[in-house]
Amino acid sequence: MHRFALVARQTGALLCGRGPGGSRGGGSDTALLGAASVAAGRQPRGPRRDGTVRWSSAAKASAVNINEKASREKILTLESMNPQVKAVEYAVRGPIVLKAGEIEKELRKGIKKPFTEVIKANIGDAHAMGQRPITFLRQVVALCTYPNLLDSPSFPEDAKKRARRILQGCGGNSLGSYTASQGINCIREDVASYIERRDGGVPADPDNIYLTTGASDGISAILKILVSGGGKSRTGVMIPIPQYPLYSAAISELDAIQVNYYLDEENCWALDVNELRRALNEAKAYCNPKVLCIINPGNPTGQVQNRKCIEDVIHFAWEEKLFLLADEVYQDNVYSEGCQFHSFKKILYEMGPEYYNNVELASFHSTSKGYMGECGYRGGYMEVINLHPEIKGQLVKLLSVRLCPPVSGQAAMDIVVNPPVPGEESYAQFIKEKESVLNNLAKKAKLTEDMFNKIPGIHCNPLQGAMYAFPRIFIPSKAIEEAKAHKMAPDMFYCMKLLEETGICVVPGSGFGQREGTHHFRMTILPPVEKLKILLEKVKDFHIKFLEKYA
């Protein structure tokens, strides 16, 4: 065989990762060297015993040169990427959490710290904090996931009944099939029945129910369909400050205009319609405000809005022609005496047909919060009323792009809205577990508020609902100057020091928004009571030392 043909054959084999004899060789490195040698007119020294080829140092140098020439500028860079995505920030999984992950790795390697574990109090992930799942919910999802268990005597009949109904709504009676983009029909019917029971008979139409991938998916979808225009006509979205960072992130991604209205910290984070009006009138100079977002109970602030406040907000939205978004995922989490959850849908209906037939409202719920804490299932729903019929079709089209929400999450959502009722065999255990979770959260809310308010330089409003504290912290001017030197917000600097010295991971208030000159952090109250006490004592000790250091 001609020597060039032989070399070409050898090189072709090497490019496939084989030695000259057909055996597996050195893979891509060998192939690169083979190509480089041929290009440079050099030959291999011959095969080793294992069939791989030995190359001269000159041949290796040629390969390096070719590799350098072959590299080119990346298509996707920070400069060329979507600027709206780059603008997105999500504080609850931001730099503090990344640092916490690094510290955890160091602890696993045996690197000594002033603490033995990282306590992640940054996010409302109930099960990660040790909360036990609700038995009945898990039983139904297990039966749906593995229908052979329907023959097992270990599962109660009321759980089997629900599982069979859900499976009958699935293609091929399998949770593994796609569903309608709007969600399984029988589950949407159960959601509508739940809303009617919750709201004292206010009618709910299953056709207005959309099952979602957690509440976040629904919120993002509605915002996506609402945002339009350019320049001063660009859609403005009014959000509370402090807010849950999903809203600011979604607004940035959609290149919409964020319009801040401030909650009244001096009045237990109350919502004041005069503040809404101020924010709206100022925003009209640079955008078209047409969306008003409400979080009730509040995240991160924990306030529960009273009926009069909700009526005022609805009247304001009706008067100013605003589309209302009511984030109600914490509707089961109300702890303070005298506080009660009122849904926007119920109050809207009771205000009469002029309001109920005209105000456009999307309200959201989820499996992730409440007493369930099933974050990982990503179950949720939204109810959208008074939507223009043609827009309804556009919304379904938009949702169909993601095919359907996770079907196991849909099943979990069904149990939230269709739990055991008196007379069913699982009812007693279900109520016991539900009340245990909610009573524990109420105790921890009060414990957290009381302990924070005993620490000099920290003030915490009552935790009326939800599952977070958002205390205001005093940061001395010396600490603020040091934070500036590190190019950090003062409360980010504080939270980073807290993490590094105690292992406690919380989220700085600047990630949620706050009035200029104030500083806060958000901390979940989900850890078990004894661990929560330790956490709060550590915060107390740290804060006192921090004040002493920077006084």
Side-chain angles (χ1 to χ4, degrees):
M1 183 181 291
H2 193 281
R3 73 181 185 90
F4 287 115
L6 177 61
V7 169
R9 189 169 128 186
Q10 287 176 333
T11 304
L14 291 167
L15 286 168
C16 296
R18 292 189 294 272
S23 62
R24 277 287 176 194
S28 59
D29 290 340
T30 310
L32 178 63
L33 288 168
S37 287
V38 172
R42 298 185 184 92
Q43 301 304 312
R45 291 178 175 176
R48 296 187 181 94
R49 289 182 181 179
D50 62 3
T52 60
V53 177
R54 293 179 297 170
W55 298 95
S56 68
S57 56
K60 290 179 181 178
S62 296
V64 170
N65 290 335
I66 284 180
N67 193 36
E68 287 175 351
K69 289 175 184 175
S71 65
R72 64 179 187 178
E73 186 178 331
K74 297 291 184 186
I75 294 167
L76 185 59
T77 66
L78 283 174
E79 288 71 35
S80 68
M81 72 175 287
N82 184 331
Q84 273 65 61
V85 174
K86 190 159 62 171
V88 168
E89 293 183 4
Y90 190 62
V92 294
R93 293 202 172 184
I96 289 280
V97 184
L98 296 175
K99 181 67 175 177
E102 291 173 11
I103 291 173
E104 282 182 317
K105 288 178 183 176
E106 290 173 354
L107 286 171
R108 285 195 291 269
K109 290 177 182 176
I111 297 172
K112 295 296 181 185
K113 302 281 180 185
F115 46 86
T116 57
E117 67 170 333
V118 171
I119 301 175
K120 288 186 176 176
N122 61 295
I123 195 165
D125 192 350
H127 292 188
M129 285 289 176
Q131 181 178 309
R132 303 296 300 165
I134 298 296
T135 302
F136 188 76
L137 187 150
R138 287 296 182 91
Q139 285 174 330
V140 175
V141 176
L143 289 163
C144 289
T145 305
Y146 189 58
N148 287 2
L149 293 173
L150 289 165
D151 297 325
S152 169
S154 301
F155 289 79
E157 282 304 315
D158 49 0
K160 291 179 179 179
K161 177 184 173 184
R162 284 165 176 76
R164 289 189 185 100
R165 183 165 177 268
I166 292 168
L167 288 172
Q168 285 168 6
C170 298
N173 290 329
S174 173
L175 218 60
S177 60
Y178 287 130
T179 72
S181 297
Q182 209 168 330
I184 297 172
N185 189 59
C186 68
I187 298 178
R188 291 191 290 118
E189 290 172 354
D190 288 344
V191 170
S193 297
Y194 162 79
I195 291 170
E196 288 183 0
R197 291 194 308 274
R198 182 197 68 189
D199 292 345
V202 175
D205 184 350
D207 202 37
N208 292 334
I209 308 296
Y210 303 80
L211 301 183
T212 56
T213 307
S216 304
D217 174 49
I219 293 165
S220 297
I222 289 292
L223 286 175
K224 196 174 288 185
I225 211 165
L226 275 162
V227 172
S228 64
K232 289 186 178 181
S233 297
R234 191 65 174 165
T235 297
V237 182
M238 300 181 69
I239 63 171
I241 298 296
Q243 53 106 18
Y244 179 52
L246 162 70
Y247 291 93
S248 54
I251 290 166
S252 292
E253 186 179 354
L254 296 170
D255 199 23
I257 307 300
Q258 179 173 316
V259 179
N260 296 338
Y261 66 88
Y262 290 88
L263 302 176
D264 184 1
E265 184 172 11
E266 306 306 318
N267 191 21
C268 206
W269 298 112
L271 194 165
D272 183 356
V273 171
N274 291 325
E275 170 61 14
L276 288 179
R277 198 170 301 284
R278 177 207 63 78
L280 179 82
N281 289 337
E282 288 183 8
K284 284 178 178 177
Y286 55 85
C287 70
N288 175 26
K290 66 179 183 182
V291 187
L292 173 58
C293 301
I294 309 289
I295 309 174
N296 180 47
N299 174 12
T301 46
Q303 84 285 3
V304 178
Q305 292 178 9
N306 61 39
R307 183 189 180 93
K308 175 67 166 59
C309 176
I310 295 172
E311 288 176 348
D312 290 346
V313 169
I314 290 171
H315 177 74
F316 177 78
W318 172 81
E319 187 178 45
E320 298 292 345
K321 296 182 180 177
L322 298 171
F323 195 113
L324 263 177
L325 268 59
D327 183 340
E328 299 175 335
V329 301
Y330 296 100
Q331 58 189 260
D332 289 304
N333 301 105
V334 177
Y335 315 123
S336 292
E337 287 186 22
C339 288
Q340 181 183 350
F341 170 75
H342 302 280
S343 79
F344 268 73
K345 162 91 177 290
K346 180 177 188 286
I347 304 303
L348 178 62
Y349 185 83
E350 293 173 349
M351 287 175 71
E354 188 174 9
Y355 293 94
Y356 184 67
N357 293 329
N358 290 293
V359 175
E360 292 154 273
L361 168 69
S363 39
F364 307 90
H365 197 16
S366 167
T367 62
S368 301
K369 310 305 176 185
Y371 58 90
M372 307 79 66
E374 293 284 7
C375 304
Y377 277 123
R378 308 308 299 132
Y381 75 75
M382 61 179 173
E383 181 186 24
V384 190
I385 61 172
N386 291 325
L387 206 59
H388 190 289
E390 291 177 358
I391 293 298
K392 201 167 189 175
Q394 294 295 319
L395 178 58
V396 172
K397 178 186 75 175
L398 176 64
L399 295 174
S400 70
V401 173
R402 52 88 159 122
L403 295 176
C404 68
V407 187
S408 55
Q410 295 186 50
M413 192 74 246
D414 188 65
I415 306 313
V416 175
V417 299
N418 184 25
V421 297
E424 290 187 305
E425 63 181 297
S426 299
Y427 178 75
Q429 182 182 8
F430 170 78
I431 285 296
K432 181 181 177 183
E433 292 175 353
K434 175 182 176 180
E435 290 181 351
S436 174
V437 170
L438 294 176
N439 289 339
N440 266 329
L441 284 169
K443 288 175 187 173
K444 290 187 283 190
K446 186 69 175 129
L447 169 71
T448 303
E449 176 195 340
D450 290 346
M451 289 191 71
F452 272 144
N453 285 327
K454 289 176 183 175
I455 304 172
I458 293 184
H459 173 72
C460 185
N461 273 324
L463 279 63
Q464 297 176 340
M467 49 184 62
Y468 312 99
F470 197 67
R472 184 169 175 173
I473 51 175
F474 171 69
I475 299 181
S477 55
K478 271 180 70 177
I480 292 173
E481 290 304 313
E482 190 167 330
K484 286 179 182 175
H486 287 87
K487 296 183 179 177
M488 287 184 184
D491 47 13
M492 170 67 85
F493 176 75
Y494 178 96
C495 292
M496 196 66 82
K497 290 287 186 186
L498 176 66
L499 173 63
E500 291 169 347
E501 294 180 24
T502 68
I504 295 169
C505 179
V506 296
V507 189
S510 49
F512 300 88
Q514 54 198 352
R515 281 197 181 274
E516 188 72 28
T518 67
H519 310 292
H520 304 78
F521 65 78
R522 189 191 80 163
M523 185 197 86
T524 180
I525 61 170
L526 289 172
V529 172
E530 292 310 311
K531 182 172 276 193
L532 183 62
K533 286 179 181 177
I534 293 168
L535 185 157
L536 292 168
E537 284 292 341
K538 284 186 171 186
V539 172
K540 175 186 173 182
D541 294 342
F542 167 82
H543 188 76
I544 291 169
K545 289 175 185 174
F546 186 87
L547 293 182
E548 289 172 353
K549 180 178 179 180
Y550 292 102

